[in-house]
Every structure is written in structure tokens, then in C-alpha cells.
Amino acid sequence: MSMLPAFSFRSLLTGVMLAGAVVAQSAQADVPKDLADHLVVNGQSMPVRAVEASPLPGLYEVQLEGGQTLYSDREGKYLLVGDLYRNDSGQMVNLTEQKQQQHRVALLKQIPDEDMVIFRPAGEVKTVINVFTDTTCPYCRKFHEEVPELNKRGVEVRYLAFPRAGMNGEGARELGQVWCNDNRSEALTAAMKGKKLKGTASCDTPIESQFALGKQMAIQGTPALILPDGRMIPGYVPVDRLVGMLGLEN
């Protein structure tokens, strides 16, 4: 449900200039503890995950459970929807995206290796990417075809589950079969090729928790690639372009 109107980049900059110069601050002592209680739209409380001070005095960063970020005054009466930028010596720095990247990295660090399906290079691991996937997704299948080439170039691929149609869809059932398999990597590859998997999908899996994690990161489709610095790349990216984005030589 769309709760708030779109907010343009130009309007955001105008609001920032009218409010005054952006200054860095880290102290959280002045954050109003009851701000989340005031954030009610159409009679419904916003799903607030956290409230923090923003770099702009008098403006507070509100992080929602769905991964979105907005900004509010201390009473929750005025809201800004969009990214907050800092003009750093003529370069526009997206402070909102920086914070989201840090949040993604922190969340992924909490996922143990045994809850993922990992494809490791035979040689040196130069970098690691995390990929939210769905075996029923055509572009996930296209991406998976290129995982061997990524491995050759030193990229470790760590898969997490994100059934696009929800936990009652075919994707969730297939992903459950993959995670319940004794050899997950072989099962995932087979499923990506359209082969029917045998075996149960009813063992104890992290599919639902990873689906919730993806939604918390504001993932809306698959594949969704999370780079080591927390940048999120939605959709399929060819190997050469992805390797370049990772800072590796082609």
C-alpha cells in the first residue's frame, strides 16, 4: 500500500537548502522516543523499525520494516520521502543509500554459511556476492548459467532464497526441496535447468526467514545481487559488467 506521495530530487534539495546547511552529527540523545507513535497514516501506524538522528538538525531518519527510509520532524507532522544527499565539495553523496548499504552488510553477516547454497571458486576467492534467487525466475536461471564463469574469475556466489510469489507459491516449494536436499548445489543447479526434484520440501529450512530478510532489504524481484559493500543490483547482470562493478579485471 502506497502511504505517501512521491518526493522529487529537486524538491528534496529545495527542502534541504531552506532548512539550512547539512552538518554531520552522530549523537542520538535528542531522538524523540515517541516519534514512532505519532507516525500514523489513514488510521494505521507505520511499521517503524528504527528512528535515528539525521545529519540535518531537526530532521529524523525513520527506517521502516519494509526497508524504506523517510524523514520526519520530531512530532511526525512533516515528512520527507526520498533520499537525503550531502553536497560534498560539489559531489552529491547519497547519505540514505550509504546507510542502507551498511544495513544490508550487517544483516547478511548474521546469516550462517550452512543456511546458504554456496558456489566457491576452485582457486583464490577474490570477492563474494550474495544473491537472492527463485528457481522459477527466468533471469535467475540465466544468471546461474554464468556462475561457473564467475567462479573462474574468483567470485564466490552465495545464494539466499526469495520466492517471488510468496511462501505458498511454486518457487517456495522448489526452494524448499533444494534446501532439504543432501547436495544443495547440485539440487539448485538441477532446479535452475527446469528439472523436477525428488524428495521432501518439508524439512526445517530458512526459506521463510530469508524471504522476510529480502523484504526487509526492500527486495522486490529476483535475482537481487548484494555486492560486498552493500550495494544492491536488481536483476540480471552479464558477467563482464558484474566483474567490473566488483572492481575485478575482466
Side-chain angles (χ1 to χ4, degrees), residues 51-73:
V51 177
E52 299 179 3
S54 84
L56 188 63
L59 198 65
Y60 298 91
E61 178 184 288
V62 180
Q63 302 163 18
L64 303 182
E65 292 291 350
Q68 303 90 345
T69 298
L70 54 89
Y71 298 89
S72 172
D73 68 332

Side-chain angles (χ1 to χ4, degrees), residues 115-173:
D115 282 354
M116 303 181 183
V117 181
I118 302 177
F119 290 79
R120 292 187 172 93
E124 177 189 0
V125 176
K126 297 179 180 178
T127 192
V128 175
I129 61 172
N130 291 275
V131 182
F132 286 84
T133 195
D134 182 334
T135 53
T136 66
C137 158
Y139 281 103
C140 293
R141 294 179 175 183
K142 185 174 179 62
F143 173 83
H144 190 70
E145 290 175 358
E146 298 182 353
V147 168
E149 180 61 27
L150 287 169
N151 286 165
K152 287 181 182 178
R153 302 195 194 192
V155 180
E156 179 174 301
V157 179
R158 298 180 165 218
Y159 277 117
L160 299 98
F162 191 85
R164 300 171 298 157
M167 290 305 299
N168 294 320
E170 178 64 15
R173 188 190 67 80

Side-chain angles (χ1 to χ4, degrees), residues 190-208:
M192 288 293 190
K193 292 180 178 179
K195 297 180 180 179
K196 296 296 182 181
L197 299 179
K198 297 179 180 180
T200 182
S202 59
C203 68
D204 185 19
T205 73
I207 307 299
E208 187 169 4

Side-chain angles (χ1 to χ4, degrees), residues 5 66 77 81 121 173 178 230 239:
K77 187 173 182 180
V81 182
R173 188 190 67 80
V178 170
V239 169

Side-chain angles (χ1 to χ4, degrees), residues 32-41 43-48 51 62 72-77:
K33 296 181 179 179
D34 60 346
L35 176 54
D37 298 332
H38 297 305
L39 296 174
V40 179
V41 177
Q44 295 184 354
S45 298
M46 290 186 183
V48 176
V51 177
V62 180
S72 172
D73 68 332
R74 64 182 305 111
E75 288 83 25
K77 187 173 182 180

